[in-house]
Amino acid sequence: MSEQDWARQRREAAEAHADMLERRRQAEHDHAARLLREFAAVARDRLPAERLHVRGYGGKGSARSDVTGWYLRADRAAGMSTDGEFYVLTAPLGLRDRLTGVTLRPTPPPLVLGAGGKDGESLDLPVALERLLPGWRDAQDTAPNA
């Protein structure tokens, strides 16, 4: 096998691997998004929602957001809207943000909150949802629009 053939095969293998990883990541986001939508359908009638706040990087201040929903982590670093959208609730905040608030944009939800962080800081999404509203899956059948 020539050096060019070997390089081409390695490049093709790397591209195939990257494609497989992307499909897996997308499938995880899709599954997490489905969980959040199902939870929101149940929680809207059973769990009081609140205006979410964003914390500044390094703990530098906070700002109210334009999203109403629930915090998914005890440290309030992630939340979801009453429509089932996922939000990261840490950002660089300026004085204007702290005074007037921030507009949040949803991000693809992970199946593990805080994955890759320090030991003990990650939390599986289904566990976080169960902590918010114990037994929510049992109530799914009776939720409006379920």
Side-chain angles (χ1 to χ4, degrees):
M1 177 184 297
S2 75
E3 192 173 310
Q4 287 179 336
D5 289 339
W6 181 86
R8 181 183 45 77
Q9 284 182 342
R10 295 307 321 143
R11 188 173 42 256
E12 289 171 359
E15 289 170 0
H17 184 70
D19 185 50
M20 179 196 66
L21 289 175
E22 177 59 26
R23 285 193 314 269
R24 181 183 299 161
R25 187 185 64 76
Q26 188 59 51
E28 288 180 4
H29 288 314
D30 292 346
H31 179 72
R34 190 170 44 257
L35 277 174
L36 291 176
R37 286 190 307 271
E38 291 170 358
F39 178 85
V42 172
R44 278 191 292 265
D45 294 330
R46 293 177 168 83
L47 188 63
E50 61 184 287
R51 179 72 61 105
L52 300 180
H53 283 75
V54 176
R55 274 194 343 230
Y57 289 152
K60 295 186 180 189
S62 68
R64 64 183 162 74
S65 77
D66 59 336
V67 174
T68 300
W70 306 279
Y71 293 100
L72 295 171
R73 294 177 47 108
D75 66 3
R76 297 180 168 224
M80 66 176 287
S81 70
T82 56
D83 293 330
E85 297 286 347
F86 177 79
Y87 297 90
V88 174
L89 299 174
T90 56
L93 296 176
L95 178 60
R96 181 178 196 156
D97 297 321
R98 290 192 294 268
L99 294 174
T100 64
V102 295
T103 299
L104 293 177
R105 301 279 178 255
T107 60
L111 275 176
V112 179
L113 303 170
K118 297 177 190 170
D119 285 344
E121 290 187 359
S122 64
L123 178 65
D124 290 341
L125 181 59
V127 172
L129 298 175
E130 189 65 26
R131 285 182 181 176
L132 273 175
L133 187 60
W136 74 272
R137 283 197 172 273
D138 299 332
Q140 253 183 297
D141 297 331
T142 61
N145 304 331

